[in-house]
Amino acid sequence: MTVMFQLQNSTALITGASAGLGSEFVRQLGGVAKALVLVARRGDRLLALEEELLAAHPQLEIYTYSVDLTRATERERFLQRLGAQGIVPDLLINNAGMGDYGDFGASDWDKVEALLQLNMVALTHLTHALLPVMRVAGGAAIINVSSLASLLPIPDFVAYAASKAYVSSFSESLRHELRAEKVNVVALCPGPVKTEFGDIARREGSG
């Protein structure tokens, strides 16, 4: 069963909301959603985005959370705060992600581990935690931002491509699991987009 999800008057939670695709999701939803929950590591950028949105949409409810999603303790603390405030999203956009470009054998393990935590574990953790409350809503949706890189092996982007293959597979499987319920699941697989992503993925001295 396919359920049509209504963006109008929704409560949307967007991770990685401070830049790139995340901030674009936020701006596009600002004119239609009832409330936005903005999650990112850089709190100053979230506050600037909140000011911009409220200037354009004074009635919009905005909640900002500065969270390092690579850390399980911070994810747990964020989820507890969300529950304590009674915020129930009916649209979850798992957008936060990072890359690492270069020879895998020469990579920095701390960065690779953070990539795996953010791209796979945090996405799965938030989905697992929020799905039970989203299931009881009158219609809900989950958008997991994957990548065109999930569809083929990419040398020098080994860990990133593999992590996004997980995101695509997880999303497709979950969609089938929930096909009889009022929760839609979509894997978004964009190609190259001009954002900060490339600068952060590129290693120092790689040109």
Side-chain angles (χ1 to χ4, degrees), residues 33-77:
K34 177 185 71 175
L36 296 180
V37 182
L38 312 184
V39 184
R41 184 171 47 84
R42 294 172 292 190
D44 55 340
R45 290 201 178 189
L46 290 180
L47 292 176
L49 187 55
E50 179 181 14
E51 290 181 7
E52 174 191 329
L53 288 167
L54 289 176
H57 311 288
Q59 305 305 315
L60 183 63
E61 299 175 33
I62 302 178
Y63 306 89
T64 61
Y65 298 89
S66 177
V67 184
D68 182 351
L69 291 172
T70 67
R71 299 180 180 275
T73 54
E74 292 205 27
R75 295 196 301 268
E76 291 285 3
R77 191 178 303 119

Side-chain angles (χ1 to χ4, degrees), residues 97-103 107-108 111-112 115 119 156-157 160 195-207:
M98 63 180 288
D100 180 47
Y101 183 77
D103 176 71
S107 62
D108 177 76
K111 185 175 182 181
V112 172
L115 180 155
N119 294 6
D156 293 327
F157 236 171
Y160 175 77
T195 67
E196 298 176 349
F197 175 85
D199 293 333
I200 296 172
R202 191 176 296 111
R203 299 176 191 170
E204 186 176 350
S206 62

Side-chain angles (χ1 to χ4, degrees), residues 16-168:
S18 63
L21 290 177
S23 60
E24 188 59 30
F25 276 123
V26 170
R27 292 185 177 98
Q28 293 295 325
L29 287 166
V32 292
K34 177 185 71 175
L36 296 180
V37 182
L38 312 184
V39 184
R41 184 171 47 84
R42 294 172 292 190
D44 55 340
R45 290 201 178 189
L46 290 180
L47 292 176
L49 187 55
E50 179 181 14
E51 290 181 7
E52 174 191 329
L53 288 167
L54 289 176
H57 311 288
Q59 305 305 315
L60 183 63
E61 299 175 33
I62 302 178
Y63 306 89
T64 61
Y65 298 89
S66 177
V67 184
D68 182 351
L69 291 172
T70 67
R71 299 180 180 275
T73 54
E74 292 205 27
R75 295 196 301 268
E76 291 285 3
R77 191 178 303 119
F78 160 65
L79 288 166
Q80 289 170 4
R81 289 177 61 194
L82 204 64
Q85 291 181 271
I87 300 171
V88 179
D90 40 28
L91 172 60
L92 170 62
I93 303 179
N94 283 309
N95 166 74
M98 63 180 288
D100 180 47
Y101 183 77
D103 176 71
F104 178 73
S107 62
D108 177 76
W109 174 248
D110 288 341
K111 185 175 182 181
V112 172
E113 184 176 29
L115 180 155
L116 299 176
Q117 285 290 328
L118 185 59
N119 294 6
M120 297 191 300
V121 180
L123 176 146
T124 308
H125 186 182
L126 294 187
T127 302
H128 181 264
L130 295 172
L131 181 57
V133 294
M134 296 178 74
R135 274 176 148 158
V136 301
I142 298 170
I143 299 175
N144 292 325
V145 177
S146 183
S147 170
L148 198 59
S150 72
L151 305 177
L152 67 165
I154 303 182
D156 293 327
F157 236 171
V158 172
Y160 175 77
S163 72
K164 290 303 185 178
Y166 170 86
V167 173
S168 291

